[in-house]
Every structure is written in C-alpha cells, then in structure tokens.
C-alpha cells in the first residue's frame, strides 16, 4: 500500500506541529547548552539566538510520535525510522550518540536557523512537509540548504 502524504497532510499537519512542540519543550527542559565548538558553528550557519538551543544526546533510536497515523506517515515517507541520526524541532536538537559528529551538528544547527527564519514550528513544518511532498526528502530545499552548511572534518 502506498502512502499519499499529499492527501493526508491537512489532517497530519496539526498533529505533527503538536508533537514537535511537545518534543521541543521536553528537550529545552532537559537538553544541554551548546559547547564552544557548537557556538562557533551557530555563527557560520546564521543562528540569531544560540543561547536558546539545547541538544539531547540519546543512546537508542530517536523517539517516534505515539499517534499511529503520524507515526505511519513518518515511517512511510522516510522522515522517521532506524536510519535517523538526528532531528531538529525549533531550538532543540536530538542526536543519537553513535552519529554525533561535527557534520551532523552543523546540519542540524542549520535547521535551527531555518526554524528561526520561519518564526515558528508551525510555519516551518507547513513549508517543510510541503517540500517533502513536492520534492522528496533528499531534494527538498530545506535539506539541500542544511547539507550545504555541513562542516566536514
């Protein structure tokens, strides 16, 4: 069975926004502030409020939405799954320890900049998910932009 994200997006978007806002709040409460290297990266990727950013490093897989429909959509479109190394939600970043590199941090920090430019999780996700529908994950403009700001060391 194919999953038609385009058709389901109007119903899924409010759920995705609520989930992202809840996860951001949790990471902002429990995550760690940026280190000196991260702070230098924030300047190169354009973040205006680096003091707000928090990172959560986890050992296992990144948490998935509990809502069955939202979880299915994320897995079907490749946005979620065991391949996930990190995810950014507003000023919060969640990274699997095994994938914690400067390249990934710079990529995720560029997503923080994109959220800041969008001015809210809701506005960012509305644009981001439409890009995923139109271009696919790898070719979405937000992902291309984040990859173009990766630091390779």
């Amino acid at each position: 069975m194919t999953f038609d994200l385009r058709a389901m997006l109007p119903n899924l978007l409010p759920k995705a926004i609520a989930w992202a806002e809840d996860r951001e709040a949790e990471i902002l409460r429990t995550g760690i502030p940026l280190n000196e290297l991260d702070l230098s990266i924030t300047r190169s990727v354009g973040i205006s409020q680096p003091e707000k950013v928090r990172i959560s490093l986890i050992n296992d897989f990144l948490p998935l939405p509990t809502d069955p429909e939202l979880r299915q959509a994320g897995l079907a479109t490749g946005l979620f799954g065991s391949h996930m190394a990190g995810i950014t939600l507003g000023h919060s970043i969640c990274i699997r320890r095994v994938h914690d590199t400067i390249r990934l941090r710079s990529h995720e920090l560029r997503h923080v900049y994109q959220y800041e430019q969008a001015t809210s999780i809701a506005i960012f996700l509305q644009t981001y998910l439409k890009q995923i529908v139109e271009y696919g994950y790898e070719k979405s403009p937000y992902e291309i932009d984040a990859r173009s700001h990766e630091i390779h060391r």
Side-chain angles (χ1 to χ4, degrees), residues 15 19 130:
K15 294 178 182 187
W19 177 80
K130 284 181 182 176

Side-chain angles (χ1 to χ4, degrees), residues 4 9 37 43 45-47 65 68 84 98 106 109 115 128 133-134 139 144:
D4 187 357
L9 194 55
L37 177 58
R43 290 186 283 279
V45 299
I47 293 173
M84 286 180 62
V98 68
S106 58
L109 286 166
Y115 274 99
Y128 182 74
V133 166
E134 187 170 340
K139 294 180 181 176
I144 291 170

Side-chain angles (χ1 to χ4, degrees), residues 64-84:
L64 297 173
T66 55
D67 179 273
E69 192 176 40
L70 190 57
R71 179 187 290 244
Q72 178 193 7
L75 292 170
T77 58
L79 290 173
F80 298 131
S82 60
H83 66 282
M84 286 180 62

